[in-house]
Amino acid sequence: MKKTKQSGSCFDQTLPVKLSRRAGRHVLCRLTDKELPYYSSNGEYRHRIPKKLPSDYTRKGDGEKIKRGELHKAAPKAEPPQAGAFKLRDNPPNTLFRKLYERGDLPLQVLHSSSKNSLTWKVDIRKLDYHHYLPIFFDGIREKEEPYRFIAVKGVEDLLKAGQGKILSVIPQLIIPIKTALNTRDLAVINITLQLMCKLVESEEMVGHSLVPYYRQLLPILNIFKNNVPNMGDTIDYAQQKQICTGELVNRVLELFESHGGEDAFINIKYMVPTYESCVTG
């Protein structure tokens, strides 16, 4: 994954990014003829392995050398190439949120205090145009550099908390930013996105119903990371309060989708995530 070098200061302009770089872009797996599987003479479907040279065959007395590890190890079993479903995808710093923040078009500033940082809005947040600002802040949740990440995430939380009655009509504009953040396959970005999706569903009464038509855009990535739960054994997970377990966050989002999505939510979730079990009907 390409990394764009930045200056490290929030007061400097971000270096330009090539137009060909798109967040979450899918890279096709291109295989040559030598890498493609084939049918053997006995009708078996096999994957190609490197041919042995005459010097690679074992000779008399090599058994003891193999036991002692003096000879090369046996060639690994031929397996199909990896699909790369969990592989990180490109996440260039070209969000609209970053551009507007550096240009000074966002009516806020960071308030630094001894306990924790917060945002100070220069205007009444309830009078903001949610059709304009809420998609911009959701576009910035895939940022990983500071202060862009903190401002985008905290800005979304403040807007959802104070936007009663204004969020439902903006839902169609939030689908692409959320989908782009999930498509980066970056667990740090995915965890933040899932937490904000939970707050989005709980922000208004009918938001869960309005998200049902967009399950085909949002749930494929959740299906991939649904079982991403580390096996702790008999140890204690002291980081549980930080909500960094992707599998648990996915299950929580799916449960909120079902409980707030109405009667058609479960069948649509089950279509995209076949291993999901209902939390309502039991």
Side-chain angles (χ1 to χ4, degrees):
M1 185 179 67
K2 298 180 181 179
K3 295 188 68 176
T4 303
K5 295 181 180 179
Q6 307 298 343
S7 62
S9 173
C10 62
F11 300 102
D12 296 336
Q13 182 69 21
T14 302
L15 298 178
V17 179
K18 294 182 179 179
L19 297 178
S20 59
R21 293 183 60 186
R22 183 169 57 87
R25 183 171 63 92
H26 176 69
V27 180
L28 296 178
C29 181
R30 302 186 183 276
L31 301 177
T32 61
D33 294 339
K34 296 181 179 180
E35 297 173 323
L36 293 174
Y38 69 100
Y39 281 101
S40 62
S41 57
N42 57 355
E44 295 181 356
Y45 198 58
R46 297 180 178 178
H47 293 272
R48 301 180 187 273
I49 58 175
K51 291 185 178 181
K52 287 187 176 182
L53 300 175
S55 59
D56 293 336
Y57 289 93
T58 55
R59 299 177 178 84
K60 184 178 179 180
D62 286 347
E64 295 297 330
K65 296 181 180 179
I66 294 175
K67 292 180 181 179
R68 294 194 298 266
E70 297 179 3
L71 294 181
H72 63 276
K73 297 182 180 180
K77 183 180 178 181
E79 296 179 354
Q82 295 183 353
F86 300 95
K87 186 178 179 180
L88 289 179
R89 294 187 178 179
D90 196 11
N91 186 16
N94 58 353
T95 61
L96 180 60
F97 169 81
R98 178 189 287 252
K99 179 180 179 181
L100 295 181
Y101 176 73
E102 290 179 344
R103 205 165 62 184
D105 290 347
L106 300 180
L108 53 81
Q109 64 183 17
V110 182
L111 178 61
H112 301 276
S113 61
S114 58
S115 58
K116 63 178 181 179
N117 297 335
S118 60
L119 295 183
T120 301
W121 295 86
K122 300 179 181 179
V123 297
D124 189 357
I125 191 174
R126 292 171 294 183
K127 297 180 180 180
L128 290 176
D129 184 6
Y130 271 61
H131 284 273
H132 175 70
Y133 285 103
L134 191 57
I136 291 175
F137 279 89
F138 263 96
D139 185 42
I141 61 177
R142 64 178 176 88
E143 291 282 355
K144 299 188 66 177
E145 296 183 32
E146 298 293 350
Y148 309 106
R149 186 203 65 83
F150 166 76
I151 297 176
V153 174
K154 187 61 178 176
V156 170
E157 293 177 351
D158 291 350
L159 289 172
L160 293 180
K161 187 181 299 183
Q164 187 68 26
K166 297 182 178 181
I167 301 174
L168 184 60
S169 59
V170 196
I171 293 299
Q173 298 175 250
L174 306 180
I175 302 303
I176 291 180
I178 294 176
K179 180 183 176 182
T180 303
L182 294 175
N183 279 337
T184 59
R185 313 294 173 96
D186 191 333
L187 293 182
V189 177
I190 290 177
N191 292 343
I192 290 294
T193 306
L194 294 176
Q195 295 176 28
L196 294 178
M197 289 172 66
C198 294
K199 295 182 179 181
L200 176 64
V201 174
E202 296 174 336
S203 61
E204 280 190 19
E205 182 178 357
M206 295 299 295
V207 170
H209 289 261
S210 63
L211 288 173
V212 175
Y214 303 104
Y215 282 176
R216 297 198 177 197
Q217 285 77 33
L218 302 177
L219 298 191
I221 304 299
L222 273 62
N223 186 32
I224 294 176
F225 291 94
K226 183 177 183 295
N227 296 324
N228 192 349
V229 180
N231 186 1
M232 303 298 296
D234 58 349
T235 60
I236 299 176
D237 185 11
Y238 291 100
Q240 188 176 11
Q241 60 180 350
K242 298 181 180 179
Q243 298 184 5
I244 58 177
C245 181
T246 308
E248 293 180 357
L249 286 173
V250 168
N251 287 325
R252 181 184 172 192
V253 170
L254 294 178
E255 290 175 358
L256 287 176
F257 277 4
E258 182 187 3
S259 58
H260 291 75
E263 58 182 7
D264 296 331
F266 174 71
I267 188 172
N268 285 277
I269 295 175
K270 191 71 173 179
Y271 180 78
M272 301 303 301
V273 188
T275 57
Y276 174 72
E277 296 296 334
S278 176
C279 65
V280 177
T281 59

